[in-house]
Amino acid sequence: MTTEPSDSRDLPTNTTRRSWLEMFVAMLLAIPVLGPALLAAWVVIRPGKRADPIEVMALPLAEIPSDGVRTFRVQYRRQHGAFVEDVERVVYLRRKGNNVIALSAECTHLGCNVHFDAANKKFACPCHKGTFDLDGAVLGGPPPAQLRRLKAIVPTDAAAPVRLEI
Amino acid sequence: MGWLESRLGLGEILRKTATGKITPRSTGWLHTLGYAALSVLLLQGISGVALAFFYVPAADHAYDSIRFLERDVAQGKLLRALHHWGASVMVVLVALHALRVFFQGGYKAPRELTWLAGLGLLGVTLGFAFTGYLLPWDQKAYFATKVGVNIAGQTPAIGEHLQGVLYGGAGIGPQTLNRFFALHVLVLPAALIGLLVLHLYLIQRHGIAPTRTRTDDAGEPGKPYHPYHTLKEALVAILAVGLVFFLAWRVGAGLEAEADPADLDYDPRPDWYFYAPFQLLKLFKGENEVIGAFWIPAGLGALLALLPFLDRNKERVARKRPIAVACGILFALATIGLTVVGMTDRPTHFATPPHPLGATKQLREGYDLVRRGRCFSCHQVVIDGVTYGQLGEHDEAPPLQETEYEPEDLADFLEDTGMDNMPSFPLFSAAQRLAIGRYLQALRR
Ligand code: FES
């Protein structure tokens, strides 16, 4: 004998079948909502394409100091969503022998612009007081990594500008 | 009236569900905070809709549309300031309301879901505050959003992807504004309405929790909800909305220079209600960053959500729940402490002068150029008795308000200064240099 509640006798014998049917129909009702919702979610959260690196002209080697940094504003055009955006970002240039160290001003912590403290020869971030040395290595504060280095291509012709890869 | 009532039956529903209910005796002034928050929420909704009639949600026009609203629309400034201060007051009221419920044990059975829905509403409130930031597309908007989204990017596993979704591209850019606009005016309001309906329905289903007894039945009945408690609610709500109006009228809402990612003189700070997490971030260095950015906030959120299930003590009176109350006080003190430290923490960087809002286009351009030229890195300037900028290595650089050049002469001088310490600006156009001259001339007055 089963131990079902006593009033189950009054119900039709196919209750399980019926509740399955109810559930199935409820699911059918949800389809018109779920379909568009899934599509919308997919369109919105799908990862975007990676952008190709862009080459921009900076300064000739002669204009880049070796004992300090030269603030340079790179300008380029990029696609951001539906917009074509003229971007301007700050890069710090320093000459090291025949090479150029190009550091992005964007703090590796949360992305504020670091500024150059000429008196102490280091970079300081105004947001959470992160500091970096001339090569971009972390000196103190919360930043987890050194300042991002851009690839700098130094031309053989000394008067031609150094090119940076963004 | 009778005709309408016989068809709609609204009065009957109200009498059965809200106005006719008897509240427990322990219901007092502290129980009015939820309604006050709801009133400010309505204020936010109404002022938000009005703002949307002017606002252009595209990065190339957003800032201009706000400036137009502020300068050329009668009471436009007040409207925006209302929405700005409404957000602050809303955050305070929702937080106080949550604290009240916490200390009076209002989250205990059978009101666990009411607490959860309320917590969701707190999250939505903060979400509104955060997404609303970016919309004016000024400096504060740009940098605060960048910091905020980078925090979201610390989320383990999905962080980077989440960042991409919020930004709508590689890094912050014009598309980001549209994403935040959609979140602010479509997604969050929908979430808000759902949670609010659930919250209010549950409050009506379970009634107000008596605060002095363990169970609901033992609570001594007090007076009918309406008009006794509603009177208190109305008074507090009027006070809250009045406060928003007062702040909007006296203090107003700031608008900084238009967003410029290449501005080195900018020291980003969030609004005061985000100081605590902002300060928390400074405490964790290097690899540990993720602790302050993700684990502590996430752990806290989870703890709050599980609170009614973890805390099995049936007592509601604070004296009889020492552990819960101690934790609550500790949390409140930590938040207040961090906020105060965040407020007093001097930035490592110097302050820049305020934007000459409402001045002529030329003066505003001059101001932007002076900042782009990094003049404040070596020159100081005193405006209305406040000193801005810093002295660089060459501390003989004269304060900017003392420049004696006429605008035209200064424009010539800037083209080629012929000085070692003072850079020349041949790349600025003649009109741009003249704008700088005019701005400096205006500083002299
Ligand atoms: S963003 Fe630079 S220290 Fe945080």
Side-chain angles (χ1 to χ4, degrees):
Chain A
M1 279 306 285
T2 56
T3 51
E4 273 172 303
S6 56
D7 60 350
S8 68
R9 258 176 290 129
D10 308 335
L11 292 173
T13 46
N14 54 355
T15 29
T16 22
R17 216 211 284 168
R18 170 130 181 230
S19 69
W20 274 111
L21 187 67
E22 278 174 2
M23 211 140 73
F24 177 69
V25 176
M27 264 153 58
L28 287 186
L29 286 173
I31 284 181
V33 184
L34 275 183
L38 284 177
L39 176 72
W42 168 247
V43 171
V44 171
I45 67 176
R46 194 172 39 104
K49 287 194 290 288
R50 286 225 170 268
D52 295 327
I54 304 171
E55 246 184 44
V56 291
M57 301 286 183
L59 303 160
L61 202 54
E63 288 180 33
I64 300 174
S66 55
D67 55 343
V69 296
R70 169 89 188 231
T71 312
F72 185 73
R73 287 160 194 277
V74 281
Q75 287 166 333
Y76 58 96
R77 200 161 260 210
R78 70 158 181 177
Q79 183 90 23
H80 194 270
F83 296 84
V84 175
E85 186 192 14
D86 284 318
V87 190
E88 187 176 329
R89 293 287 134 94
V90 177
V91 173
Y92 292 111
L93 300 174
R94 187 164 66 94
R95 185 171 165 179
K96 208 174 192 182
N98 255 343
N99 282 325
V100 167
I101 298 183
L103 297 172
S104 155
E106 215 174 296
C107 179
T108 52
H109 183 219
L110 296 173
C112 300
N113 277 340
V114 299
H115 63 97
F116 185 60
D117 175 353
N120 298 310
K121 293 233 185 298
K122 63 181 186 189
F123 297 100
C125 179
C127 284
H128 316 105
K129 304 188 173 176
T131 44
F132 304 86
D133 71 10
L134 274 178
D135 288 331
V138 183
L139 287 176
Q146 57 170 36
L147 289 177
R148 195 164 65 86
R149 277 192 194 196
L150 306 183
K151 199 163 153 206
I153 304 153
V154 183
T156 38
D157 173 10
V162 173
R163 285 170 320 199
L164 300 175
E165 223 169 62
I166 302 285
Chain B
M1 274 318 256
W3 185 87
L4 254 188
E5 177 57 24
S6 72
R7 278 150 187 90
L8 276 175
L10 275 183
E12 195 187 324
I13 295 182
L14 272 181
R15 233 170 297 120
K16 278 199 194 137
T17 56
T19 59
K21 282 218 165 167
I22 306 291
T23 53
R25 266 193 111 133
S26 53
T27 311
W29 287 100
L30 288 178
H31 286 78
T32 58
L33 291 165
Y35 185 77
L38 185 60
S39 318
V40 178
L41 172 70
L42 291 179
L43 168 97
Q44 288 301 81
I46 295 165
S47 56
V49 168
L51 284 174
F53 277 79
F54 294 94
Y55 180 67
V56 183
D60 42 3
H61 283 85
Y63 186 74
D64 287 338
S65 69
I66 295 290
R67 217 157 46 186
F68 171 78
L69 174 75
E70 295 241 319
R71 284 179 39 210
D72 302 334
V73 179
Q75 303 307 328
K77 230 180 154 88
L78 182 67
L79 179 68
R80 182 168 160 257
L82 275 180
H83 203 67
H84 173 87
W85 282 107
S88 279
V89 172
M90 179 88 192
V91 172
V92 173
L93 286 173
V94 174
L96 286 179
H97 178 52
L99 281 178
R100 197 280 293 164
V101 173
F102 177 83
F103 284 115
Q104 296 192 335
Y107 54 87
K108 303 196 172 192
R111 297 184 181 78
E112 300 95 328
L113 292 181
T114 323
W115 169 259
L116 275 181
L119 213 56
L121 285 168
L122 174 63
V124 169
T125 305
L126 293 176
F128 268 115
F130 177 61
T131 49
Y133 255 121
L134 182 64
L135 304 184
W137 201 247
D138 64 351
Q139 288 283 60
K140 181 180 204 130
Y142 184 89
F143 281 98
T145 300
K146 201 163 143 186
V147 172
V149 176
N150 284 352
I151 291 176
Q154 306 274 319
T155 316
I158 58 161
E160 208 173 315
H161 185 81
L162 185 66
Q163 211 172 347
V165 171
L166 286 172
Y167 278 151
I172 188 170
Q175 190 74 37
T176 315
L177 183 76
N178 295 68
R179 298 241 151 160
F180 274 54
F181 182 70
L183 287 173
H184 194 79
V185 307
L186 296 170
V187 180
L188 286 171
L192 177 95
I193 290 172
L195 286 167
L196 190 63
V197 167
L198 179 65
H199 196 65
L200 294 179
Y201 162 74
L202 288 171
I203 291 170
Q204 108 75 23
R205 179 173 155 82
H206 297 294
I208 294 173
T211 58
R212 296 199 203 108
T213 46
R214 290 173 56 129
T215 57
D216 287 3
D217 326 322
E220 294 168 75
K223 296 189 177 145
Y225 181 69
H226 186 60
Y228 297 97
H229 190 59
T230 40
L231 173 64
K232 292 182 185 156
E233 287 189 323
L235 291 178
V236 175
I238 290 174
L239 221 67
V241 171
L243 177 69
V244 176
F245 267 87
F246 178 78
L247 289 168
W249 167 56
R250 289 316 296 260
V251 189
L255 184 65
E256 301 186 342
E258 188 165 9
D260 175 8
D263 188 340
L264 285 171
D265 289 351
Y266 190 68
D267 173 30
R269 324 228 80 204
D271 263 333
W272 65 268
Y273 39 83
F274 285 130
Y275 274 170
F278 191 70
Q279 201 59 30
L280 193 64
L281 277 176
K282 292 189 197 176
L283 298 179
F284 295 93
K285 321 221 144 140
E287 308 265 276
N288 297 332
E289 189 189 349
V290 63
I291 299 179
F294 178 77
W295 290 112
I296 292 185
L300 217 67
L303 202 66
L304 284 177
L306 292 177
L307 179 67
F309 309 101
L310 292 175
D311 179 9
R312 315 252 31 148
N313 182 348
K314 288 218 167 57
E315 296 293 346
R316 292 192 183 136
V317 185
R319 213 167 353 97
K320 295 187 183 150
R321 336 163 12 225
I323 303 181
V325 169
C327 292
I329 293 181
L330 215 66
F331 171 67
L333 284 182
T335 312
I336 295 174
L338 281 173
T339 306
V340 171
V341 175
M343 277 180 177
T344 51
D345 203 5
R346 289 283 309 132
T348 51
H349 204 32
F350 52 87
T352 42
H355 191 270
L357 268 186
T360 61
K361 184 153 184 280
Q362 200 180 28
L363 285 187
R364 283 184 274 120
E365 193 191 355
Y367 170 82
D368 290 341
L369 289 167
V370 164
R371 292 192 56 164
R372 289 207 16 207
R374 304 191 68 208
C375 305
F376 298 127
S377 299
C378 296
H379 295 272
Q380 288 188 323
V381 60
V382 182
I383 301 174
D384 294 334
V386 185
T387 308
Y388 301 93
Q390 73 179 5
L391 286 179
E393 296 150 88
H394 324 292
D395 46 10
E396 69 274 20
L400 289 184
Q401 80 278 11
E402 286 174 12
T403 341
E404 266 154 20
Y405 287 109
E406 284 307 310
E408 291 76 14
D409 300 338
L410 189 90
D412 288 343
F413 169 68
L414 286 180
E415 182 169 11
D416 181 10
T417 60
M419 292 166 73
D420 286 345
N421 296 340
M422 170 77 192
S424 308
F425 295 89
L427 293 180
F428 283 170
S429 70
Q432 284 176 319
R433 288 195 299 269
L434 188 65
I436 295 179
R438 289 250 191 274
Y439 174 69
L440 295 188
Q441 184 188 35
L443 285 181
R444 255 178 282 166
R445 311 221 183 92

